Amino acid sequence: LEIQRRTLGEEHHFTLATALQLGNLYHSQSRYAEAEKLATETRETQRRILGAAHRETLASMMCVAGARARQGHYREAERLLTEALEIQRRTLGAEHPHTLKTSGNLSLIYAFQERFEEAAKLGCQTLEILRRVLGPAHPDTLLYRSNLAEVYRKQGRYREAEKLCAKTLEIRRRVLGPEHPNTLVSMGNLASVYSSQGLYKEAVKIFRDQLPI
C-alpha cells in the first residue's frame, strides 16, 4: 500500500483496492478501530472519484459499518447500512445477493439494539427472498434463518424459533454432517430455544441423540 501510494497515487484504483483489502484484513484480526479508519478514508476517496453508488464504494461502506458495529456503535452502523441498502435496492434490485446480505445485516443491527419487531420484519422479508432465489439449503439462507430464529426467541416466539432452528439443523446435519461446527452451532441454537421454555430434558436430548458417545 505504501509503495502504491507513492508510485501510483492515493486515488489510483489499485491503491484503493489494496487499502480496502487491508481494512478487511484488520477486521478479520479484530483490529476494528484500524479497519474503520482505513475503510473510512478509502470510502471518502471512492465517493469523490467513483460515486456513492459504485460497488467498490459500497464495499468500503460495508467494512466501515461492520467495524463500527463490532465496537458497539450500532446507530452509526445502522445509518451506513440503511444508506447502502437503499442504493443497492435501486441499482441492483431487491433480490440481488449483495442487497440481501445488507438487508440481513441491518436486521441484525436492529436486534443488537433490542428493536426486535423491526429486526423480525426485515429478517423475515430477507429470508423469504433468500429461500426463493438461493434455495433453502444455501449457506446465506441458513445463516439468516438462524438469525431470525434468535430474534423470535428474544421476543418469546418460541414455537416459531423452534421451527426455524429445527429446519436449519436438519439441513446442516444432512449436508454438512452431525459433527460439523455449523451443525453444532445449530444444535446449540435449538437447545437454547428449549432451555428458554424450561424444556431442559429436550435440550440435553439434542446433543445425546446427535453426537456419538
Side-chain angles (χ1 to χ4, degrees), residues 55-170:
R55 61 182 179 82
E56 294 181 11
T57 307
L58 291 171
S60 294
M61 189 185 299
M62 295 297 101
C63 185
V64 176
R68 289 182 177 173
R70 288 290 187 173
Q71 296 174 87
H73 303 151
Y74 299 127
R75 284 291 187 181
E76 297 171 42
E78 177 189 341
R79 179 180 59 79
L80 289 170
L81 290 174
T82 300
E83 180 183 348
L85 183 58
E86 291 173 355
I87 293 171
Q88 289 172 326
R89 282 174 170 168
R90 186 176 70 248
T91 60
L92 301 176
E95 297 186 354
H96 192 281
H98 292 173
T99 307
L100 293 171
K101 184 174 183 179
T102 302
S103 178
N105 289 340
L106 181 57
S107 173
L108 201 59
I109 293 298
Y110 287 151
F112 287 153
Q113 299 175 81
E114 299 186 354
R115 292 159 59 185
F116 297 123
E117 287 190 17
E118 293 168 275
K121 181 180 179 181
L122 184 57
C124 186
Q125 292 171 354
T126 302
L127 180 59
E128 286 302 316
I129 298 174
L130 282 167
R131 280 195 291 218
R132 186 175 71 253
V133 174
L134 300 180
H138 190 279
D140 287 350
T141 306
L142 295 171
L143 173 63
Y144 292 117
R145 183 187 286 116
S146 294
N147 290 347
L148 180 58
E150 177 60 14
V151 172
Y152 285 159
R153 189 183 72 83
K154 290 288 184 66
Q155 290 181 298
R157 298 164 65 177
Y158 299 123
R159 291 296 185 186
E160 293 165 279
E162 180 182 335
K163 182 178 178 180
L164 291 176
C165 285
K167 182 63 175 178
T168 302
L169 175 58
E170 184 272 322

Side-chain angles (χ1 to χ4, degrees), residues 19-31 35 63:
L20 179 56
Q21 289 174 347
L22 182 57
N24 285 326
L25 178 61
Y26 286 153
H27 191 282
S28 68
Q29 295 176 319
S30 302
R31 297 162 64 180
C63 185

